[in-house]
Amino acid sequence: MENIIKSVTAKALGVNEADVIIDHRLMGGMSNLMYVVVVNGEKYTFRIPGKNAEVFVNREEELANIHIVDELGINNEMVYFDTETGYKISKFVDGTPLSEVENPEAYLEEVSKVLHVLHESGLKAHDDYRPYERLNAYEKLVTDFGYKHADKYFELKEEFLSNREFLDQFPKVICHNDSQISNMVVEADQTYLLDWEFTGNNDPMYDVACVGNKEFELALKFLPVYLGREPQVEESRRLYLWRAFQCLQWHNVALYKDLIGLSKDLGLDFNMIAAAYLTKAEQFLSGANQYK
């Protein structure tokens, strides 16, 4: 691992391997390994994708989307990207992830500004996010192992899909699609939105729902901030529905991670995490029903 980081960084930045210092690993992510490296006094982040990450992320699309959003000034500067390995080197943002601040609610206005810059940019992502097709693809990754989903999963999936006509009526804009607060970093008076692996055109309410990835209560508080007013019934319904979808999606991802051995490798019980996502999906679908 150390040899890879040093050799790739040296070649990318045109320095000697001896000039590359691996400072520390950034903790918190469950998909990728992130390291801070120092070269001639400058700090960079080096990403190494996690095991089988390529089944979830198209690196050609990711690179194209990074170039598309560059002009918005809300991402950190990328200096190297290898679409085959997924290795990425970017300038380090010496700030604090919102997931680590004592009171993330105090930063909701900043989060709103960043998402509005993205959603109202008029830019188009390389492709649509295609949530329904994505869910089927993630599901197939699991069933290809011979895994049989619980009946409850298919019941909840069917309930979610019964709302498809309602969800599909809203315009798509460029979205981050993983805008949880761990991907937002505050540095001085600038808020950055990082990690553009899942970027695609989508309902902007999907990004609002992502803000509540850890605590849905935060998304409920964020919704009127993002709208600049109290939400209408249909907006609350979209919020709950997309959060339910995200839980169904990450249920399959967690199952897949368990099946490829990551529960043992990372010391995390992905089976238990998958079960928790299914429970949450049921709760959010129930919450959406109150706004029909």
Side-chain angles (χ1 to χ4, degrees):
M1 190 83 69
E2 182 176 322
N3 289 339
I4 290 172
I5 295 171
K6 288 198 168 191
S7 64
V8 172
T9 302
K11 186 178 292 186
L13 300 182
V15 299
N16 296 318
E17 288 189 27
D19 296 325
V20 180
I21 300 169
I22 301 174
D23 194 70
H24 65 280
R25 180 185 165 191
L26 291 170
M27 306 306 290
M30 289 197 299
S31 298
N32 301 316
L33 298 175
M34 296 287 291
Y35 292 87
V36 176
V37 299
V38 182
V39 180
N40 297 328
E42 291 288 328
K43 286 184 177 181
Y44 302 86
T45 55
F46 191 109
R47 179 188 72 190
I48 299 178
K51 185 177 181 181
N52 290 20
E54 68 278 0
V55 302
F56 300 112
V57 181
N58 181 314
R59 297 299 174 193
E60 298 282 355
E61 285 192 10
E62 181 190 4
L63 179 58
N65 285 321
I66 289 173
H67 287 314
I68 288 169
V69 301
D70 269 348
E71 67 180 75
L72 301 179
I74 56 176
N75 188 23
N76 57 340
E77 184 182 341
M78 179 189 69
V79 297
Y80 173 83
F81 195 111
D82 186 325
T83 55
E84 290 198 12
T85 62
Y87 298 155
K88 179 166 73 82
I89 302 172
S90 302
K91 289 191 175 180
F92 178 66
V93 175
D94 194 12
T96 305
L98 288 186
S99 54
E100 296 178 13
V101 302
E102 189 172 337
N103 181 23
E105 289 180 33
Y107 294 87
L108 292 182
E109 286 286 355
E110 285 77 6
V111 173
S112 177
K113 288 175 186 174
V114 169
L115 289 183
H116 277 294
V117 166
L118 179 65
H119 297 161
E120 296 170 9
S121 65
L123 299 174
K124 285 296 179 184
H126 182 270
D127 205 346
D128 289 350
Y129 187 67
R130 303 189 305 277
Y132 315 110
E133 293 87 344
R134 187 178 293 264
L135 184 61
N136 288 335
Y138 287 8
E139 194 178 294
K140 187 175 185 298
L141 288 172
V142 174
T143 57
D144 282 349
F145 273 89
Y147 182 89
K148 188 177 184 301
H149 287 79
D151 290 342
K152 173 61 74 174
Y153 168 77
F154 290 110
E155 291 170 10
L156 295 175
K157 179 184 176 184
E158 189 62 32
E159 183 177 351
F160 169 76
L161 290 176
S162 70
N163 295 278
R164 181 169 179 172
E165 185 177 354
F166 165 73
L167 290 172
D168 285 351
Q169 68 180 298
F170 301 102
K172 294 183 180 68
V173 300
I174 186 170
C175 288
H176 184 276
N177 297 310
D178 194 21
S179 52
Q180 53 186 305
I181 58 174
S182 60
N183 284 328
M184 298 186 188
V185 176
V186 176
E187 182 186 48
D189 58 351
Q190 171 83 41
T191 301
Y192 293 91
L193 181 55
L194 310 179
D195 191 1
W196 297 80
E197 290 182 301
F198 298 101
T199 306
N201 304 310
N202 201 1
D203 180 352
M205 198 60 68
Y206 192 100
D207 275 349
V208 177
C210 282
V211 172
N213 182 64
K214 188 175 180 181
E215 297 291 340
F216 186 64
E217 189 67 27
L218 190 64
L220 291 175
K221 291 177 179 177
F222 178 57
L223 181 58
V225 176
Y226 175 83
L227 294 171
R229 55 172 169 75
E230 286 303 307
Q232 298 174 357
V233 169
E234 67 174 23
E235 290 160 338
S236 295
R237 183 181 172 194
R238 285 158 67 195
L239 182 75
Y240 274 91
L241 286 172
W242 283 128
R243 189 69 197 114
F245 169 85
Q246 289 160 9
C247 289
L248 292 174
Q249 175 178 260
W250 299 123
H251 169 74
N252 281 289
V253 172
L255 288 175
Y256 179 76
K257 288 185 175 182
D258 181 70
L259 289 166
I260 63 173
L262 284 178
S263 288
K264 182 179 179 182
D265 293 349
L266 301 179
L268 292 168
D269 189 342
F270 281 106
N271 249 328
M272 184 175 72
I273 292 170
Y277 274 128
L278 203 59
T279 298
K280 289 179 180 179
E282 184 171 22
Q283 293 170 349
F284 295 136
L285 285 169
S286 177
N289 288 335
Q290 67 183 309
Y291 294 105
K292 277 189 173 181

